[in-house]
């Protein structure tokens, strides 16, 4: 089930998992159809400035370590309903 568009680049589908910090859903890139993981802050964390800074920091770290052989690759970042999302390689 593909439901929500993320910046017009990714269609967000079923939820894969939820943690204390964020939830991860499967996504599909527009154009290529490649499946990706879409990580977004949980609803209870969205208003926290600290949590938003942590999400930004995670994106920066993933970009800096992009060539790491055992790290998930960050494909892009985007927004969905004014909420930041990390679009990552789906393993």
């Amino acid at each position: 089930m593909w439901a929500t568009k993320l910046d017009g680049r990714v269609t967000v589908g079923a939820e894969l998992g939820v943690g204390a910090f964020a939830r991860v859903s499967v996504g599909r890139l527009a154009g290529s159809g490649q499946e990706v993981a879409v990580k977004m802050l949980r609803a209870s964390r969205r208003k926290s400035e600290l949590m938003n800074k942590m999400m930004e920091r995670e994106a920066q770290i993933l970009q800096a370590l992009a060539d790491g052989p055992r790290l998930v690759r960050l494909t892009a970042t985007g927004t969905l309903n004014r909420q930041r999302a990390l679009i990552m390689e789906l393993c």
Side-chain angles (χ1 to χ4, degrees), residues 10-37:
V10 179
T11 304
V12 181
E15 189 172 272
L16 296 172
V18 179
F21 176 69
R23 64 184 179 87
V24 178
S25 298
V26 66
R28 184 164 293 167
L29 295 177
S32 71
Q34 177 186 358
E35 286 192 340
V36 292

Side-chain angles (χ1 to χ4, degrees), residues 5-7 21-24 38-47 52 55 77-87:
K5 291 278 188 185
L6 175 69
D7 284 351
F21 176 69
R23 64 184 179 87
V24 178
V38 180
K39 183 176 185 177
M40 294 179 280
L41 287 175
R42 291 180 55 156
S44 61
R45 305 284 193 215
R46 289 181 196 155
K47 293 183 181 179
N52 281 285
M55 186 80 131
T77 61
T79 57
L80 176 63
N81 300 329
R82 296 178 297 175
Q83 178 187 347
R84 185 164 178 81
L86 303 182
I87 301 147

